[in-house]
């Protein structure tokens, strides 16, 4: 028996860090944040969570460092 919601993870990629953060905050509301939306070592803003329905999400936004 496979636990509901743990068969797939959805990944969203954005070009604007503010938009990605707004989406992260809205979709994670009422869920469980596994990694807060933050800057990462691979040059992106990233966060992951399980929403209130048990669906796993990842939100990513590459950072343009010049």
């Amino acid at each position: 028996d496979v636990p509901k919601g743990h068969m797939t993870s959805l990944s969203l990629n954005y070009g604007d860090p503010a938009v990605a953060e707004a989406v992260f905050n809205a979709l994670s509301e009422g869920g469980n944040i596994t990694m807060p939306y933050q800057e990462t070592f691979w040059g992106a803003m990233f966060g992951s969570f399980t929403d209130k329905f048990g669906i796993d999400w990842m939100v990513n936004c590459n950072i343009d460092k010049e």
Side-chain angles (χ1 to χ4, degrees), residues 3-10 27 30-32 49-57:
K4 181 179 178 183
H6 294 283
M7 297 171 277
T8 249
S9 293
L10 301 175
L27 290 176
N32 180 41
F49 60 92
T50 302
D51 71 15
K52 62 185 175 185
F53 303 107
I55 305 298
D56 296 325
W57 294 83

Side-chain angles (χ1 to χ4, degrees), residues 37-58:
Y37 183 75
Q38 61 191 351
E39 189 171 346
T40 64
F41 67 89
W42 64 85
M45 298 294 291
F46 178 85
S48 62
F49 60 92
T50 302
D51 71 15
K52 62 185 175 185
F53 303 107
I55 305 298
D56 296 325
W57 294 83
M58 297 176 286

Side-chain angles (χ1 to χ4, degrees), residues 11-47:
S11 179
L12 303 175
N13 292 287
Y14 291 91
D16 182 333
V19 171
E21 184 173 21
V23 169
F24 179 89
N25 290 336
L27 290 176
S28 65
E29 188 173 328
N32 180 41
I33 295 173
T34 51
M35 181 177 174
Y37 183 75
Q38 61 191 351
E39 189 171 346
T40 64
F41 67 89
W42 64 85
M45 298 294 291
F46 178 85

